[in-house]
Amino acid sequence: MNQALALRAAAFGLVAALLTRTAPAEDSHAHWSYSGATGPAHWAEEDATFTACGPGTDRHQSPINIDSAAKKDLPPIQFDYKPIPLKVTDTGHSFQVNAPPGSGGITIGADHYELVQFHFHEPSEETFHGHHNAMVAHLVHKNAKGELAVVAVQIRTGKENAFLKPVFDDFPAKGSTERDMPGATIDLTTFLPRTHGYYTYEGSLTTPPCSEGVRWLELKLPVEASAAQVQAFAARYSHNARPTQPLNGRTVAESKD
Ligand SMILES: [Zn+2]
């Protein structure tokens, strides 16, 4: 190869490398998806850190099907959210809004957790007597020890949801990971259902690495979103829901309200 050709080859190599670098963000991580060879049944094989996603009778994984629950005097979930910047992130598996420090959170009895982020699944991952809702929002919180508590808000088809409107009307463009609306804020308080009775159980993240020790708080009362809003989400992320997992001896508790 002469020098000019070598230079051109080198330049082509550089361009190719740059093009590769601008591939979707999830390509830089282990591949996992919701179907086929990289779907939920294969997550544990995808990466050495994903072993908790695999089968085992000692596993305490999420989501679950909630069929029966023991009514107990559970402390109420006290919500104390502050408005947060409306910046929507495309994680490659869902749309997510990250909460900056100081966004408020939840208190259950003596336990306080700060809001970290919220994201969506279509349909709902958790089922109730085997039934999925149209979607679910997972509101992820963390306490001072780094332990997670997730509040799940079921979404069924009905009236347009005013809280979801600014999020769902304008998702990040395909190929871009973020859509920022400078100055705009949203307040999760306005998204919560009228009453906050809940089911609770110990589970895991529903995405790799499927880490356990997650406190799940499943609100009983759903909120509504229009069919057009559900379709807008499904047009970008359809069936981004892990199948329900075995209880393996766990029980579900239910608040009396
Ligand atoms: Zn989730």
Side-chain angles (χ1 to χ4, degrees):
M1 196 185 288
N2 67 34
Q3 202 177 359
L5 265 177
L7 273 172
R8 268 164 65 191
F12 181 79
L14 182 63
V15 169
L18 286 170
L19 285 172
T20 309
R21 291 292 290 277
T22 56
E26 72 265 34
D27 282 0
S28 60
H29 307 296
H31 284 271
W32 61 269
S33 73
Y34 286 100
S35 62
T38 56
H42 303 283
W43 286 352
E45 306 149 25
E46 290 289 309
D47 191 287
T49 64
F50 294 177
T51 49
C53 305
T57 52
D58 59 341
R59 296 270 194 268
H60 287 172
Q61 289 284 297
S62 296
I64 60 165
N65 173 46
I66 295 176
D67 219 10
S68 63
K71 282 210 172 176
K72 286 185 181 166
D73 268 321
L74 300 175
I77 308 171
Q78 291 174 287
F79 294 91
D80 174 29
Y81 293 138
K82 316 244 180 326
I84 59 175
L86 177 51
K87 186 191 274 186
V88 182
T89 300
D90 185 344
T91 66
H93 305 286
S94 184
F95 291 110
Q96 179 170 309
V97 175
N98 293 316
S103 299
I106 54 170
T107 304
I108 314 148
D111 305 325
H112 180 74
Y113 300 83
E114 287 283 301
L115 181 67
V116 179
Q117 49 101 337
F118 64 91
H119 61 267
F120 305 91
H121 301 270
E122 185 282 326
S124 72
E125 295 197 296
E126 48 281 87
T127 58
F128 301 85
H129 306 292
H131 169 79
H132 290 272
N133 283 296
M135 291 188 68
V136 66
H138 286 160
L139 286 44
V140 181
H141 309 77
K142 194 188 269 190
N143 69 12
K145 287 189 273 184
E147 296 159 338
L148 299 179
V150 182
V151 173
V153 180
Q154 300 299 315
I155 304 171
R156 67 179 178 202
T157 309
K159 293 192 297 283
E160 184 179 68
N161 189 303
F163 170 84
L164 294 178
K165 195 168 165 53
V167 183
F168 280 31
D169 276 4
D170 192 13
F171 289 124
K174 275 186 185 160
S176 86
T177 53
E178 210 167 75
R179 199 249 313 157
D180 203 354
M181 298 269 285
T185 60
I186 44 172
D187 186 351
L188 262 179
T189 312
T190 66
F191 178 63
L192 298 171
R194 198 166 30 80
T195 60
H196 304 151
Y198 63 99
Y199 300 101
T200 186
Y201 75 99
E202 291 295 321
S204 73
L205 298 178
T206 66
T207 55
C210 308
S211 316
E212 296 187 343
V214 178
R215 184 176 187 174
W216 279 89
L217 303 154
E218 300 272 350
L219 296 191
K220 292 194 230 176
L221 198 67
V223 300
E224 293 186 356
S226 68
Q229 288 182 306
V230 174
Q231 279 158 19
F233 184 88
R236 297 287 296 276
Y237 285 110
S238 187
H239 297 282
N240 63 335
R242 186 190 195 193
T244 55
Q245 303 293 307
L247 279 172
N248 290 333
R250 287 173 291 173
T251 55
V252 179
E254 177 182 3
S255 67
K256 285 182 173 164
D257 53 343

Coordinates of all heavy atoms in Angstrom, one line a residue, residues 13 50-51 63 81 93 115 140 188 205 212 222:
G13 N -10.7 4.4 8.5 CA -10.8 3.6 9.8 C -11.3 4.5 10.9 O -12.2 4.2 11.7
F50 N -25.2 -10.3 36.1 CA -26.6 -10.5 36.0 C -27.1 -11.8 36.6 O -28.3 -12.2 36.3 CB -27.1 -10.5 34.5 CG -26.9 -9.1 33.8 CD1 -27.1 -9.0 32.5 CD2 -26.4 -8.0 34.5 CE1 -27.0 -7.8 31.8 CE2 -26.2 -6.8 33.9 CZ -26.5 -6.7 32.5
T51 N -26.3 -12.5 37.4 CA -26.7 -13.9 37.9 C -28.0 -13.9 38.6 O -28.7 -14.9 38.6 CB -25.6 -14.5 38.7 OG1 -25.2 -13.6 39.7 CG2 -24.4 -14.9 37.9
P63 N -41.0 -8.8 38.5 CA -42.3 -8.5 39.2 C -42.9 -9.8 39.6 O -42.4 -10.9 39.3 CB -43.1 -7.9 38.0 CG -42.6 -8.6 36.8 CD -41.1 -8.7 37.0
Y81 N -43.2 15.1 47.5 CA -42.4 15.4 46.3 C -42.3 16.8 46.0 O -43.3 17.6 46.2 CB -43.0 14.7 45.1 CG -43.0 13.1 45.1 CD1 -44.1 12.4 44.7 CD2 -41.9 12.5 45.5 CE1 -44.1 11.0 44.7 CE2 -41.8 11.1 45.5 CZ -43.0 10.4 45.1 OH -42.9 9.0 45.1
H93 N -34.3 1.1 27.1 CA -35.3 0.1 27.5 C -36.6 0.7 27.9 O -37.6 0.0 28.1 CB -34.7 -0.7 28.6 CG -33.4 -1.4 28.3 ND1 -33.3 -2.4 27.5 CD2 -32.2 -1.0 28.7 CE1 -32.0 -2.8 27.3 NE2 -31.3 -1.9 28.0
L115 N -36.6 10.3 46.3 CA -36.9 10.0 44.9 C -35.6 10.0 44.0 O -34.8 11.0 44.1 CB -37.9 11.0 44.3 CG -38.3 10.8 42.9 CD1 -39.1 9.5 42.7 CD2 -39.1 12.0 42.4
V140 N -38.8 5.2 41.6 CA -37.7 4.5 42.3 C -37.1 5.5 43.4 O -36.8 6.7 43.1 CB -36.6 4.1 41.3 CG1 -35.5 3.4 42.0 CG2 -37.2 3.2 40.2
L188 N -44.7 15.1 40.6 CA -45.2 13.8 40.7 C -46.4 13.7 41.6 O -47.2 12.8 41.5 CB -44.1 12.8 41.2 CG -43.4 11.9 40.2 CD1 -42.3 11.1 41.0 CD2 -44.3 11.0 39.4
L205 N -35.0 -5.5 41.4 CA -35.1 -4.7 40.2 C -35.7 -5.6 39.2 O -35.4 -6.8 39.2 CB -33.7 -4.2 39.7 CG -32.9 -3.3 40.7 CD1 -31.5 -3.0 40.0 CD2 -33.7 -2.0 40.9
E212 N -31.6 -7.8 44.4 CA -32.6 -8.0 45.4 C -32.6 -7.1 46.5 O -31.7 -6.2 46.6 CB -32.6 -9.5 45.8 CG -32.9 -10.4 44.6 CD -33.1 -11.9 45.0 OE1 -32.7 -12.3 46.1 OE2 -33.6 -12.6 44.1
P222 N -55.5 2.5 40.5 CA -54.8 3.0 39.3 C -55.1 4.4 39.0 O -56.1 5.0 39.5 CB -55.4 2.0 38.2 CG -56.7 1.7 38.7 CD -56.7 1.7 40.2

